[in-house]
Amino acid sequence: MSIAMYNDAIRSLRDNGIAVLGTKSATEDDLNQIETRLGVTLPVSYKKMLSEHGALEFDTIEIYGWLSQGIDAKFITNVVYATERERADGRISETMIPFLAAGYGPFYVMDCAEMNTDGEAPVYEVSTGGYTNGKDKLADSFGEFLRNEVRRTLEARAQGGLEFGEDEDSPPSREFISEYWKDRAKDFE
């Protein structure tokens, strides 16, 4: 069921003209290296994303994954680097895998200690202070979470979305953040 939700999310993006960007697809050997290094079995829908896209980006969402630089890449979008860093800081447990930051504090994890019989792990939003300060369950699987994020993205686009500054009590829009980082990328060339 979760794979179907994942496939639906990717199809919805493409059907709506939203670019689906990836890095280097992870091979079976790459997936085994990730699982061995992190000491967990990865959820099946997340492994499908890794094997199809490596890391995944659409609209302003950047899902951590496998990069062409390999397992030791020192980039936050490398799921191994992100996981090891968050574990070292005590922000996640030894069974959690972070895969997305909200950009305004919280971040999202899959908790592989809670793997179900379908090979899926629930997704939680974790506060900036770490999982011991609170975590909220958002989905039963990565595939469900991705499908929900795609739906939110499509709804926001249909409604035009708010730009940063229109409502000072809300975080910047994904579109604003995307444009900001596209402009900032020139600083790193």
Side-chain angles (χ1 to χ4, degrees):
M1 180 67 153
S2 174
I3 294 288
M5 289 183 221
Y6 165 83
N7 289 335
D8 180 55
I10 300 299
R11 186 175 33 260
S12 291
L13 289 169
R14 290 184 174 135
D15 289 351
N16 284 282
I18 298 175
V20 178
L21 307 173
T23 55
K24 178 184 177 192
S25 299
T27 66
E28 199 62 40
D29 184 51
D30 298 333
L31 295 172
N32 290 333
Q33 284 183 54
I34 295 168
E35 290 179 326
T36 300
R37 176 97 163 245
L38 298 179
V40 298
T41 298
L42 295 170
V44 294
S45 57
Y46 183 69
K47 285 199 302 195
K48 182 167 175 71
M49 187 277 300
L50 292 171
S51 66
E52 288 184 349
H53 301 284
L56 180 65
E57 181 179 345
F58 63 92
D59 200 45
T60 60
I61 303 210
E62 292 182 71
I63 297 176
Y64 311 161
W66 181 256
L67 306 180
S68 61
Q69 297 88 346
I71 199 161
D72 292 317
K74 301 288 188 230
F75 301 101
I76 193 61
T77 53
N78 173 4
V79 70
V80 173
Y81 177 76
T83 301
E84 290 175 341
R85 191 175 95 173
E86 299 298 340
R87 285 178 180 175
D89 289 345
R91 291 176 17 130
I92 63 173
S93 75
E94 292 297 313
T95 59
M96 291 177 171
I97 306 295
F99 65 91
L100 177 66
Y104 59 91
F107 58 101
Y108 304 97
V109 300
M110 297 167 283
D111 193 343
C112 299
E114 300 177 35
M115 196 81 70
N116 67 25
T117 56
D118 294 330
E120 291 293 350
V123 171
Y124 293 96
E125 179 181 74
V126 175
S127 71
T128 306
Y131 77 104
T132 58
N133 292 327
K135 65 180 188 173
D136 293 315
K137 186 174 178 181
L138 300 178
D140 289 326
S141 68
F142 173 77
E144 179 184 358
F145 175 87
L146 183 64
R147 184 196 63 191
N148 294 343
E149 281 300 300
V150 167
R151 286 179 177 170
R152 273 191 279 284
T153 297
L154 295 174
E155 287 170 10
R157 283 180 163 223
Q159 296 173 3
L162 288 174
E163 287 298 321
F164 186 59
E166 288 182 34
D167 179 358
E168 292 182 19
D169 293 331
S170 69
S173 71
R174 290 180 176 158
E175 191 171 279
F176 174 85
I177 293 169
S178 177
E179 290 303 314
Y180 171 81
W181 283 110
K182 283 179 186 173
D183 289 339
R184 285 292 318 275
K186 298 171 190 165
D187 297 339
F188 300 99
E189 292 178 344

